[in-house]
Amino acid sequence: MNVLKFGGSSVANPQNIEKVVQIIANASVNSPLIVVVSAFGKTTNKLIASAEQAAQNNANYLENYKEVELVHFEVIEKLVPENQQEEVKTYIASLFKQLKTLLEGCLLLNEITPKTLATISGFGELLSSYIIASIASKQLDVVYKDSRELIITSNAFDKAQVDFQLTNSNCKAYFENNKHQVTLLPGFIARTKEGKSTTLGRGGSDYSAAIYAAAVNANELQIWTDVSGMYTANPHMVKQAFPIPHISYQEAMELSHFGAKVIYPPTIQPVLEKEIPIRIKNTFEPENVGTLISKITENGKPVKGISHIENITLLTLEGSGMVGVSGISKRLFETLSTHNINVVLITQASSEHSICVGIYDEDAEKATLKINEAFAFEIERHKIDPIIVEQGLAIIALVGDKMRNHQGLSGQMFSSLGKNNVNIRAIAQGASEKNISAVIDSSDAKKALNTLHEQFFEEKVKQLNLFVTGVGNVGERFLAQIHQQKKYLKEQLKLNVRVIGISNSKQMVFDEGGISLKSWKEQLQKGETSTLERFFERTKALNLRNSVFIDNTANQKVSEIYEHYLANNIGVVTCNKIACASELDNYKKLKHISRKYSVPFLFETNVGAGLPIIDTLKNLIASGDRVHKIQAVLSGSLNFVFNNFNENTSFHDVVRQAQEQGYTEPDPKIDLSGVDVARKILILARESGYDLELSDIENNSFLPKKSLETTNNDDFYASLTEFESHFQQVYKEAADKNCRLKYVAEFNDGKASVGLQHIPFDHPFYNLEGSDNIVLFFTDRYPVNPLQIKGAGAGAEVTASGIFADVIRIGNNI
């Protein structure tokens, strides 16, 4: 014999009930069945709400009652065979009449006793079970039986204790003589020896089914619900979660205790003692295997699942007067027990200086008051502090029978959470090592679940969540490169790179599931109004693991918000040089925040676009080398300009061409004035360990003063035309010496300068073509023959590739 239990979602409407009847029909072919059903979806909550409203003298107390009544009679009309409808309607009407009388009694007395509430809340199962039995009788050999005639309990009406001796005797006598193929019973309800209605408390219908399964020594207990088993994590919060095929009783109880809502822990106890397997199945996808719960499972991953509980308050009792004093713990837990306050988690410092307990938020106020009263004497004498209360918390737990046989699991857990700035407030681990629990902020629960699931269950595919600001030349190419390489990154580098947010100066769009990079332009056009602050707040609120902010702009205001991203554990990748070339204190602050929160701050493209200049320099310094001198051509745009400018061209036209091909900043004066190059040599000097300000860089500009004083591009280009003879003279002076013009940045023994230089034919810079950059590092290890890096140093495509490379660096280090 098998026992099948169907939850409220499985019998929520006529369509679902038809599915349930078909499942029962299929299962009854092979074995006699005991079928336990819950109330129709939300019915019990509505009945309790009606009772509470009646007790509060609320005139609307019958509204929920009428909704429940309407739903049940609609099911009868649609599904009960016509020849039975009158009989069923009469019986159901009599139940509703009794229910209404009880509600009127609550109204008259202005109160609800536990006995009355238990009776009212049990009507949902009485109604649903009788109706479903009538529907099933059309095609099955089914008999209806009231559970109150079989399950006997104590007088604790709302959380009654089962008298298993009487209950098992009743069940044995009934089912031995019952010859029907299907017996259909209401869950949740029972009665006392005196015949008074009681309920079995939270998870009561599951418990009813387990009681019957144990009483008849069933082959299997099946719990039919709206999910395909117990999942590795909550699938509503972790999209990659999947059903666990096989799990032990102990693992299932641990997961259920820590928030997995598929079953309720007391459910397992009756069948656990008799080692009866439990199978969790999906009413809406019955072909799915589901989860089998049994005594022993096959060897597999040490961690079977990750679960969590929301709405937790942490209470800490501490003080010097606790050290070495016996009985403190006893008094604390007696106080909580006396006032029916459930303790979810316990941890105590080895110094005996403090005891920490986790309880539900709803009990926090009462617990605080009663504990302070219990220790009033010690508190008054400053031996113990008043109870410390921390709310807005959640408990997250790793669960698995085999965890004790694997080293380093707790290290992996806390390390992965730490990398994502999930602060742990308390830790608990039992000696059995079946679970490791941590208390965290509720706001971090989703991020923590996804982080741990990625760590323990996914095939080492790391997820990066990008938030991209600036989608001009560089930004557009960056998104195109991400789109092009997405499959390669996942298959070869095990990186799942998702773009979650995109913004320009006017609009922004977010999609937590990942923005389609085929249609991001269309989505952005339909997006909401964007500001730097709103984009940051939305990014922060999503609180996704491995989040990275990408700045593809040259905007100072964007650079000023990096601090907020880094302080909220959101990495920053930028081609915008302004932040790293800003005041020294600000540069150092950004680097400090990055180190403090272990969050990446990468800016490889600040110097040399896609060339590995900064990364190489960092490696030199990290390995103990010391930089003495740097010589470099660091402006691809200026190199392009002076490689193409001669007596047969105009300076204006060459600069215009450089801008059209994407080599210059949107404001070309930034490049031609030398400010851009000055920023770059400043960044290299700072990364070499020298404290310099931008004002310390000697800038020998070749532009006329009038050109430098222009305030817009039109005036700037007009000035270039006006001073064409000046630029021709600059070119002629170099040509007369058989030299080429190169805009050179130099750093030597703590001093730096930038300016136009005449480069002779035997110099490494002489043959630097196109928009290429070159850097020469003279160090302790390279004192005479410098370390040389050379290649394309400008252009949207190579700059985008440099940003892409920084993203991959982050992915490889998480």
Side-chain angles (χ1 to χ4, degrees):
M1 179 177 285
N2 288 333
V3 178
L4 279 63
K5 179 265 174 179
F6 293 90
S9 59
S10 297
V11 293
N13 54 54
Q15 297 80 13
N16 293 1
I17 293 171
E18 286 183 315
K19 290 183 174 69
V20 166
V21 171
Q22 188 57 54
I23 290 168
I24 296 170
N26 294 340
S28 67
V29 172
N30 301 317
S31 168
L33 301 180
I34 295 173
V35 177
V36 178
V37 296
S38 296
F40 293 170
K42 308 298 182 184
T43 294
T44 304
N45 289 342
K46 289 181 178 179
L47 294 180
I48 292 172
S50 287
E52 290 174 345
Q53 288 175 328
Q56 294 164 6
N57 204 26
N58 187 326
N60 298 320
Y61 77 98
L62 286 178
E63 288 185 4
N64 280 318
Y65 164 88
K66 290 175 181 177
E67 287 180 18
V68 171
E69 185 180 41
L70 179 63
V71 166
H72 284 76
F73 279 99
E74 283 181 349
V75 171
I76 295 169
E77 290 282 352
K78 290 181 180 179
L79 298 182
V80 173
E82 287 187 13
N83 62 344
Q84 295 182 42
Q85 280 196 13
E86 194 61 38
E87 178 186 349
V88 174
K89 285 181 179 178
T90 301
Y91 179 77
I92 295 301
S94 70
L95 290 179
F96 273 107
K97 186 177 180 181
Q98 295 174 38
L99 176 58
K100 189 174 182 181
T101 300
L102 289 169
L103 292 173
E104 288 171 347
C106 294
L107 181 70
L108 290 170
L109 297 172
N110 287 337
E111 70 170 7
I112 319 172
T113 65
K115 176 183 174 183
T116 303
L117 186 61
T119 304
I120 290 172
S121 60
F123 267 88
E125 278 73 14
L126 286 172
L127 293 163
S128 66
S129 57
Y130 187 85
I131 293 171
I132 293 171
S134 302
I135 295 166
S137 67
K138 181 179 180 181
Q139 63 183 98
L140 298 171
D141 174 22
V142 61
V143 64
Y144 170 75
K145 182 68 173 175
D146 190 337
S147 287
R148 293 177 297 182
E149 297 173 20
L150 299 176
I151 301 178
I152 308 302
T153 71
S154 67
N155 289 318
F157 295 98
D158 55 346
K159 294 179 183 177
Q161 299 298 309
V162 176
D163 184 329
F164 280 99
Q165 185 175 354
L166 284 175
T167 298
N168 289 339
S169 177
N170 289 344
C171 291
K172 185 177 180 181
Y174 175 77
F175 288 108
E176 279 182 353
N177 296 310
N178 176 30
K179 304 304 178 184
H180 294 279
Q181 190 69 8
V182 178
T183 305
L184 204 143
L185 306 105
F188 184 54
I189 59 173
R191 70 172 175 84
T192 66
K193 294 176 186 177
E194 296 75 29
K196 297 174 183 176
S197 292
T198 62
T199 61
L200 300 179
R202 180 183 166 201
S205 291
D206 286 355
Y207 196 18
S208 301
I211 291 167
Y212 290 130
V216 301
N217 290 310
N219 296 322
E220 186 173 272
L221 167 60
Q222 296 180 7
I223 307 291
W224 290 80
T225 181
D226 55 3
V227 292
S228 297
M230 298 191 80
Y231 277 66
T232 49
N234 185 340
H236 299 297
M237 300 180 77
V238 180
K239 300 302 182 185
Q240 295 80 20
F242 54 86
I244 307 167
H246 198 178
I247 193 171
S248 73
Y249 293 124
Q250 288 76 16
E251 288 169 331
M253 283 194 289
E254 291 283 357
L255 284 173
S256 298
H257 174 72
F258 285 103
K261 295 179 171 52
V262 178
I263 58 173
Y264 186 55
T267 300
I268 300 174
Q269 195 59 43
V271 293
L272 184 150
E273 291 178 359
K274 295 198 172 183
E275 299 181 9
I276 296 169
I278 305 172
R279 194 177 296 275
I280 312 297
K281 297 278 286 180
N282 189 339
T283 303
F284 310 105
E285 296 178 356
E287 68 283 356
N288 288 356
V289 175
T291 296
L292 177 65
I293 305 172
S294 63
K295 182 179 179 181
I296 301 173
T297 66
E298 73 281 358
N299 289 329
K301 290 180 179 291
V303 178
K304 280 294 180 71
I306 307 164
S307 198
H308 83 295
I309 311 173
E310 296 277 7
N311 305 316
I312 293 295
T313 294
L314 203 60
L315 302 180
T316 303
L317 186 68
E318 66 179 27
S320 59
M322 293 171 58
V323 179
V325 178
S326 61
I328 296 290
S329 299
K330 175 178 178 290
R331 289 168 60 193
L332 172 63
F333 294 115
E334 266 187 356
T335 301
L336 295 171
S337 175
T338 301
H339 295 92
N340 296 315
I341 296 167
N342 185 39
V343 176
V344 185
L345 176 141
I346 304 167
T347 182
Q348 181 172 11
S350 58
S351 65
E352 302 181 40
H353 184 264
S354 68
I355 304 173
C356 221
V357 296
I359 63 173
Y360 292 107
D361 284 348
E362 62 197 44
D363 294 325
E365 186 176 349
K366 179 169 66 172
T368 303
L369 176 65
K370 298 303 178 183
I371 294 172
N372 283 336
E373 286 178 358
F375 291 93
F377 179 82
E378 289 86 352
I379 292 171
E380 184 179 348
R381 283 155 180 76
H382 305 289
K383 298 291 185 180
I384 293 178
D385 299 330
I387 199 78
I388 299 169
V389 182
E390 297 176 83
Q391 293 191 291
L393 304 175
I395 296 174
I396 192 161
L398 294 187
V399 172
D401 278 345
K402 310 294 184 185
M403 284 168 47
R404 63 177 175 270
N405 298 324
H406 287 75
Q407 296 178 346
L409 291 178
S410 56
Q412 291 179 53
M413 176 183 182
F414 300 133
S415 174
S416 58
L417 292 176
K419 285 179 180 177
N420 280 279
N421 203 30
V422 176
N423 187 33
I424 296 170
R425 316 295 282 273
I427 299 167
Q429 181 173 9
S432 66
E433 298 185 39
K434 288 186 185 342
N435 84 68
I436 307 170
S437 308
V439 181
I440 62 174
D441 287 336
S442 284
S443 59
D444 288 329
K446 184 175 182 180
K447 178 164 69 172
L449 283 169
N450 279 275
T451 297
L452 294 177
H453 196 273
E454 182 177 87
Q455 177 69 32
F456 291 104
F457 290 104
E458 296 168 35
E459 294 184 4
K460 301 305 177 186
V461 175
K462 304 168 188 174
Q463 183 169 289
L464 278 177
N465 297 297
L466 307 186
F467 299 85
V468 181
T469 288
V471 287
N473 286 338
V474 174
E476 182 175 355
R477 285 164 174 78
F478 170 69
L479 293 175
Q481 290 175 10
I482 292 286
H483 180 53
Q484 176 187 320
Q485 293 299 107
K486 189 172 181 66
K487 183 178 179 182
Y488 173 85
L489 292 174
K490 197 163 188 177
E491 292 179 355
Q492 301 299 319
L493 301 184
K494 302 301 181 184
L495 289 177
N496 179 23
V497 179
R498 307 188 310 163
V499 177
I500 306 298
I502 298 176
S503 75
N504 57 24
S505 59
K506 296 180 180 178
Q507 292 169 296
M508 64 183 187
V509 62
F510 287 85
D511 185 339
E512 191 173 348
I515 296 170
S516 170
L517 296 184
K518 288 183 179 179
S519 59
W520 66 266
K521 290 183 180 180
E522 293 80 0
Q523 293 178 65
L524 185 58
Q525 287 176 353
K526 299 174 183 177
E528 57 190 289
T529 302
S530 174
T531 66
L532 294 176
E533 292 74 19
R534 289 184 68 190
F535 191 77
F536 164 69
E537 289 298 337
R538 286 289 298 276
T539 302
K540 176 185 172 184
L542 284 170
N543 199 21
L544 298 177
R545 69 195 189 284
N546 304 329
S547 293
V548 184
F549 173 64
I550 312 290
D551 178 14
N552 296 313
T553 74
N555 188 304
Q556 179 167 337
K557 289 185 177 179
V558 178
S559 74
E560 291 170 354
I561 205 167
Y562 294 172
E563 176 184 349
H564 302 297
Y565 282 100
L566 294 170
N568 284 277
N569 200 244
I570 299 167
V572 173
V573 171
T574 179
C575 60
N576 186 345
K577 291 174 280 292
I578 294 175
C580 289
S582 62
E583 291 79 7
L584 181 62
D585 286 346
N586 186 59
Y587 163 81
K588 287 187 171 182
K589 179 170 67 173
L590 294 176
K591 301 278 280 190
H592 170 72
I593 295 172
S594 172
R595 289 190 298 270
K596 178 180 178 181
Y597 294 103
S598 298
V599 58
F601 174 39
L602 301 182
F603 42 90
E604 184 65 69
T605 50
N606 278 196
V607 181
L611 294 175
I613 295 172
I614 292 177
D615 194 53
T616 301
L617 177 56
K618 285 180 177 178
N619 290 334
L620 286 174
I621 301 301
S623 66
D625 205 354
R626 190 164 60 95
V627 174
H628 303 293
K629 180 179 177 181
I630 302 172
Q631 288 184 317
V633 174
L634 295 173
S635 174
S637 53
L638 283 171
N639 201 42
F640 177 88
V641 167
F642 286 110
N643 278 336
N644 288 278
F645 176 56
N646 55 49
E647 69 274 10
N648 300 316
T649 61
S650 80
F651 194 72
H652 168 281
D653 291 347
V654 174
V655 174
R656 179 75 75 177
Q657 182 185 359
Q659 184 178 28
E660 289 171 353
Q661 294 188 21
Y663 293 136
T664 72
E665 300 285 355
D667 177 2
K669 187 175 69 174
I670 294 175
D671 295 276
L672 272 70
S673 66
V675 171
D676 186 60
V677 178
R679 286 173 176 161
K680 291 176 180 178
I681 194 65
L682 174 64
I683 292 169
L684 292 182
R686 286 176 171 177
E687 290 297 304
S688 299
Y690 294 87
D691 290 348
L692 293 181
E693 297 282 7
L694 187 59
S695 58
D696 296 327
I697 312 297
E698 183 182 348
N699 187 346
N700 303 306
S701 179
F702 65 90
L703 287 177
K705 183 179 179 181
K706 185 174 181 180
S707 298
L708 290 170
E709 291 174 348
T710 57
T711 57
N712 58 67
N713 283 2
D714 289 341
D715 290 347
F716 178 70
Y717 277 111
S719 75
L720 299 186
T721 301
E722 180 181 348
F723 292 102
E724 178 64 27
S725 60
H726 163 74
F727 300 117
Q728 287 293 339
Q729 181 61 33
V730 169
Y731 170 77
K732 186 175 183 302
E733 289 175 1
D736 288 347
K737 298 177 182 178
N738 292 320
C739 292
R740 288 186 173 180
L741 290 169
K742 301 293 178 184
Y743 202 87
V744 177
E746 287 190 301
F747 171 77
N748 195 350
D749 289 331
K751 295 183 178 180
S753 65
V754 297
L756 205 57
Q757 293 186 13
H758 296 167
I759 303 298
F761 74 92
D762 58 350
H763 194 281
F765 295 171
Y766 185 85
N767 291 312
L768 196 65
E769 301 296 336
S771 60
D772 285 359
N773 280 191
I774 186 170
V775 178
L776 307 179
F777 288 118
F778 295 85
T779 74
D780 285 350
R781 294 173 190 155
Y782 301 93
V784 179
N785 295 313
L787 175 63
Q788 178 175 308
I789 302 171
K790 177 182 177 183
E797 198 71 41
V798 293
T799 303
S801 71
I803 295 168
F804 197 169
D806 274 346
V807 169
I808 292 172
R809 284 188 185 93
I810 292 174
N812 288 335
N813 286 300
I814 59 175

